[in-house]
Structure formats: C-alpha cells, structure tokens
Amino acid sequence: MQPTKQTLPIGGLLVDVYSHPTSISSSTNPIHALFFLHGRFDSAQDQYIVDTIKVIFDESYGSGVGERKKDLIVIAFCVGEKDHRNHGTRLVNQQRNFAWSKEPAENNDQHAVDMYTIQTGTAQDVSFLIDHIPSSLYPSGERTIVEWGMGGVSLGGHSTWIALSREPRLTLGIPIIGCPDYMKLISRRAQSSNIPLSPPYFPTSFMTYVERHDPAQLAYRAKDASNPFLGKKVLVLSGKEDKLVPWVASAEFVEGLEVGEEGVKRVVVEEGAGHECTSGMRREAGLFVREWLSATADELRRPSRNFADNDEGRKRSSSISGVVLAKGPQQHWSGALWQDRTGVAGVLARWQEPWLVVGSPRVS
C-alpha cells in the first residue's frame, strides 16, 4: 500500500509529509516523526528514497505488527525536489557540490568546507522543522508528535550523525552509508587526491570548528550526560565494499559509541555492498522503525533480533549469507548455522558485541 503525501510550506521550506492510508485523521494515537534525507546530487524523488520510505511503512503497518498504539509520519524536504542546501531551488553554485578532481570543470578546491557546511546546515534545518512542523500539521492540536527520528543516505547519513549529536529531541537515528568522523573520512579523500590537510583546502578556522563540534570530537564514549548519544536508538548500515565512504572511517567511532542502558545500538556491515542503499538495508531500516513504534528498549536491544535465535530472527537472517568473519583484537565470534524455508543455508557471525552483524543480502 502506497503511503499518502501532503506538501507543507514551513518558514520558506517545502516539506513532503508521508503517512499511512490507515492512519486516519480522526485517530488520537501519538505520532512518531522520522526525517529521511537523500545523498549528494540526488533527489527526494529518487527511487531508492521512495522505495525506502515505502518499506518503512510496509514494515511498520504490515501483518504481524499487532495492535498499533502509535502512528508514523516520514518527512522529506521537497525544495525543487531536493532536500539539502545548495540543491534544487536552493542551488547557489553547482561547482561547490563537486569534490576534488583533476578535471577543472569538475574540481572544487573548497570541497572539505562545502560538504561539511551542507551537513551542519541540514542538521540546523531539521531542528528548525522540529520546532514548527507540529503547528502546521496539527494547528488545532489534533495529534501530538511524541518522538522524533532521522535517517538518511550518504550525505543524508552524514547529516544524521551530526543532528543526532546536536538535537536532543531526536531519539532515533539511521545513518545509511554515512560517517560520524568527518576528518577520518575527508582526510582519506584528500590523500587520494593529493590534497594537503592545510589552508586553503582546510582553513584553520574550519579545522577549529570541526575539532570542537564534530561528533567524533564529543564525549561519545562517556556514560554520563556529557555524551549526546546516551539513551538514543541508533541503527548503522554500511557497505563493506564502499570506496567513497569506507567502513574503516566509521569503525572506531561506532565500536566505541556508548548509548547507555536506555539506548540501542545495532550495526550491519553488508558484504559485497558498495556505496549504495541496498534492499537489505531498506528492510533493516523498516524493521528498526517498526520496533521504535512498538517495542520496548529491551526488545530493541535483544541480541536475537540480530541473529537466528527465534522465528523472527530466522526470518530476518534468511536474507543474510556469505558472512565476513572479521575479527579484531577484542572481538570473538561463533558461527550459527541456519536454513530458511527455501532451503538456502548460510552462516551468521555472532559477536560478543550484540550490536554487530557482518553479512551480505542474498538476492532472491
């Protein structure tokens, strides 16, 4: 069933608000609102964004969900059918969306600054919309938005990490092929392009800002209120073969990320996937949102959600095969053999860290 869509002007920004057809206006169920953002050069109308939003609704409202006591809306910017700054009708200079290149027509010496300012600007836009969307959607107080979440792909994934670290009202984040450590990501890219980590490519004032405000510079390992991620529910989806945003740039941060007893951290690194939002990633996102709507924090954290420990785990595990048995200094795994209803067998890697699954989706 296709979600319904309405377009609203909010302080000069046009946003598309998606809802499920069964979420009738007369309902008084509380609302969970999820922002979902696309990647650089892409559009909110690109098929992978449309498909992901549909999968999220299909999983959240599908059979087996049980009695639903909360409803979901998904919000996407639709300025010129683009969402990020310097895109669509907000486009100021297309050249400033490019990266470093040997081709003069495609080169942008300010790539490091431009990409980060778009990410931080998008995070600010999300906070602005959290302030004001309820007044436009429910001017007479018909419904109440009780929780906010954010997800995004590539550039949208980078922005999700920044917004999670800055906006306390965001309780859920789904960064897809995004990176929380900007300097690890951009320094690798600079090195491959023979760009020095110094002015004018990396201005001193810019480096000072990143060192103070980037998620990787915050107290993300702490178990007290100094950690902006504490208590949040985070699903990290990455491709093992991603060359543009390699998993190695995110791994140290994600492994060390502390979300506390009330938080949830789940990580899926998909073997064989490059810089793409795969069908497996879309389904993981949909299941995570479904749990956000219906499950307790304990159910979200339950390791069997990641592995083939029960019927639900087996259904989800049947889409994963060809596991990469990566092993770090303090990481240990044991194999769990499973077989789905079609007779296709595979192995899942169970880590001591219950938040990590490494595998690849089986194409049916």
Side-chain angles (χ1 to χ4, degrees):
M1 187 178 294
Q2 291 291 337
T4 60
K5 181 180 76 172
Q6 60 177 313
T7 301
L8 297 173
I10 312 289
L13 294 177
L14 286 176
V15 295
D16 286 334
V17 181
Y18 296 85
S19 58
H20 196 268
T22 62
S23 177
I24 57 176
S25 58
S26 60
S27 172
T28 58
N29 286 344
I31 299 287
H32 279 37
L34 175 72
F35 292 92
F36 200 80
L37 310 179
H38 66 65
R40 186 162 55 110
F41 297 120
D42 294 338
S43 162
Q45 305 304 314
D46 278 15
Q47 197 61 47
Y48 74 91
I49 295 293
V50 174
D51 289 347
T52 303
I53 291 174
K54 184 178 185 302
V55 168
I56 288 172
F57 277 107
D58 287 347
E59 292 293 346
S60 299
Y61 287 80
S63 60
V65 173
E67 183 182 1
R68 189 170 51 255
K69 297 182 179 180
K70 301 169 187 173
D71 280 317
L72 173 70
I73 60 173
V74 176
I75 303 162
F77 297 77
C78 66
V79 180
E81 297 187 349
K82 303 272 186 175
D83 59 18
H84 293 285
R85 298 184 182 206
N86 201 33
H87 286 75
T89 57
R90 303 171 84 183
L91 182 67
V92 176
N93 186 332
Q94 179 72 337
Q95 190 88 14
R96 301 298 287 265
N97 285 327
F98 294 154
W100 297 296
S101 174
K102 294 180 180 179
E103 298 295 330
E106 299 177 359
N107 180 59
N108 175 21
D109 285 342
Q110 297 300 307
H111 173 54
V113 175
D114 288 337
M115 189 165 73
Y116 200 69
T117 52
I118 289 176
Q119 294 171 25
T120 56
T122 297
Q124 291 176 4
D125 287 342
V126 167
S127 290
F128 167 79
L129 290 170
I130 290 175
D131 287 338
H132 299 294
I133 276 181
S135 300
S136 294
L137 264 180
Y138 311 116
S140 299
E142 302 92 332
R143 306 288 292 273
T144 302
I145 299 176
V146 295
E147 286 201 50
W148 298 88
M150 181 173 172
V153 179
S154 191
L155 182 61
H158 306 327
S159 299
T160 296
W161 278 117
I162 292 174
L164 276 176
S165 72
R166 299 186 181 188
E167 176 51 73
R169 291 171 292 184
L170 288 172
T171 61
L172 173 139
I174 307 176
I176 303 174
I177 55 175
C179 182
D181 190 329
Y182 189 68
M183 287 311 301
K184 277 196 174 180
L185 174 65
I186 202 67
S187 61
R188 291 174 63 91
R189 195 173 295 180
Q191 183 179 18
S192 67
S193 299
N194 295 317
I195 299 295
L197 299 179
S198 59
Y201 304 100
F202 290 82
T204 301
S205 58
F206 171 70
M207 295 292 284
T208 300
Y209 180 89
V210 174
E211 289 168 1
R212 290 178 179 174
H213 301 289
D214 193 60
Q217 303 302 318
L218 305 179
Y220 66 91
R221 298 176 183 268
K223 297 183 179 181
D224 57 32
S226 65
N227 181 353
F229 296 96
L230 213 63
K232 299 195 176 186
K233 302 170 180 64
V234 184
L235 170 65
V236 183
L237 299 170
S238 293
K240 184 176 182 294
E241 307 304 324
D242 192 335
K243 304 301 182 186
L244 187 62
V245 184
W247 169 244
V248 68
S250 301
E252 181 181 356
F253 179 99
V254 173
E255 181 178 346
L257 177 63
E258 176 63 56
V259 295
E261 290 297 320
E262 299 303 316
V264 178
K265 176 171 66 172
R266 182 178 298 158
V267 180
V268 180
V269 179
E270 189 174 304
E271 184 187 10
H275 194 67
E276 57 187 319
C277 180
T278 67
S279 60
M281 294 177 186
R282 289 194 288 272
R283 184 155 190 262
E284 286 293 334
L287 290 167
F288 202 67
V289 172
R290 184 178 81 179
E291 292 167 345
W292 182 44
L293 291 172
S294 61
T296 65
D298 286 341
E299 289 174 317
L300 271 167
R301 278 195 298 271
R302 188 170 56 198
S304 62
R305 289 289 186 178
N306 286 344
F307 309 106
D309 290 343
N310 55 19
D311 288 341
E312 174 67 13
R314 277 187 284 275
K315 290 176 184 176
R316 292 180 61 181
S317 300
S318 65
S319 66
I320 300 177
S321 64
V323 170
V324 178
L325 299 178
K327 186 176 179 182
Q330 296 180 337
Q331 298 169 336
H332 307 280
W333 56 268
S334 61
L337 184 65
W338 55 266
Q339 187 171 24
D340 70 8
R341 294 178 180 177
T342 64
V344 178
V347 176
L348 288 178
R350 173 177 293 175
W351 299 61
Q352 285 187 342
E353 295 82 354
W355 42 265
L356 181 60
V357 178
V358 186
S360 63
R362 175 176 53 79
V363 179
S364 57

